[in-house]
Amino acid sequence: QSALTQPPSASGSLGQSVTISCTGTSSDIGGFTYVSWYQQHPGKVPKLIIYEVSQRPSGVPDRFSGSQSDNVASLIVSGLQADDEAVYYCCAYGGTTNPWLFGGGTKLTVL
Amino acid sequence: QMQLEQSGAEVMKPGSSVKVACEASGGTFNTYTLIWLRQAPGQGLEWMGEISPLGASKYAQKFQGRVTISADDSSRTVYMEVTNLQFEDTAMYYCASPNPYSSCWHCLDFWGQGTPITVSS
């Protein structure tokens, strides 16, 4: 059982938007601004796409955005493209004894 | 820009130990915190432990006493040893690191390619 809770699946049509949630507690998501999101295509290494709740690394399209409200973080993917089909993991800082907490992953299907 | 190269796949017997290597190239080795994670088949990512630039190791409670992370500065290699392997330890094991020159310390910017470990009798 993962420390953070994500829906196992999400879907959207080409060009539409989809939101993936990540639920934690006041000791992790709700307690710090260190929430990140990783994209993993099948057989590939995870790739950082959002950090510190809503920041995008260089090279990540602005179709990817993030937000946080209380103990819930969200990843929004707008203008869905076929290549967005992947598994998305949220990650949060949970303090010095649990510095890297992950969600179970959400498989995004682009219809 | 750092690159991380991991050692190859292993097939291990239950009760045995395995040591996985992660060699860093590029950048200044002892400025990086090196994190180890694993991903069981079809499952999510799990933090196992890490070693700081000063050589201090920290472990997830689940792996305390069974995992040891060490570093060899001369070869720019970080090792993770897992003892008393069980079937449920079958997974892809990754080393990863934040970019110390970035403003984000809680970002896994660099990843090794992964080392598959299979525990089988």
Side-chain angles (χ1 to χ4, degrees), chain B residues 20-32:
Chain B
V20 185
C22 175
E23 182 179 356
S25 60
T28 304
F29 179 68
N30 59 7
T31 61
Y32 296 93

Side-chain angles (χ1 to χ4, degrees), chain A residues 34 36 38 40 44-46 48 51-52 89 91-93 96-97 99-100 102 104, chain B residues 35 37 39 43-45 47 50 58 94 103-109 111-113:
Chain A
Y34 298 117
S36 52
Y38 294 83
Q40 186 178 34
K44 301 295 187 182
V45 168
L48 178 69
Y51 67 96
E52 291 175 3
Y89 294 96
C91 176
Y93 178 69
T96 56
T97 55
W100 303 90
F102 288 91
Chain B
I35 286 116
L37 313 102
Q39 187 171 36
Q43 302 299 309
L45 297 162
W47 175 69
E50 62 190 51
K58 180 191 295 188
Y94 293 104
S103 61
C104 177
W105 69 271
H106 199 261
C107 291
L108 296 174
D109 298 291
W111 291 73
Q113 80 276 23

Side-chain angles (χ1 to χ4, degrees), chain A residues 49-89:
Chain A
I49 57 171
I50 294 287
Y51 67 96
E52 291 175 3
V53 176
S54 60
Q55 303 302 304
R56 276 187 310 277
S58 173
V60 174
D62 59 6
R63 301 185 298 102
F64 293 91
S65 61
S67 66
Q68 174 193 345
S69 178
D70 296 327
N71 299 337
V72 181
S74 298
L75 172 71
I76 305 99
V77 187
S78 58
L80 278 170
Q81 299 182 0
D83 189 53
D84 296 336
E85 191 160 288
V87 179
Y88 293 83
Y89 294 96

Side-chain angles (χ1 to χ4, degrees), chain B residues 81-93:
Chain B
E81 182 175 27
V82 185
T83 61
N84 191 23
L85 287 164
Q86 303 300 313
F87 295 122
E88 53 267 30
D89 292 317
T90 293
M92 182 72 81
Y93 289 75

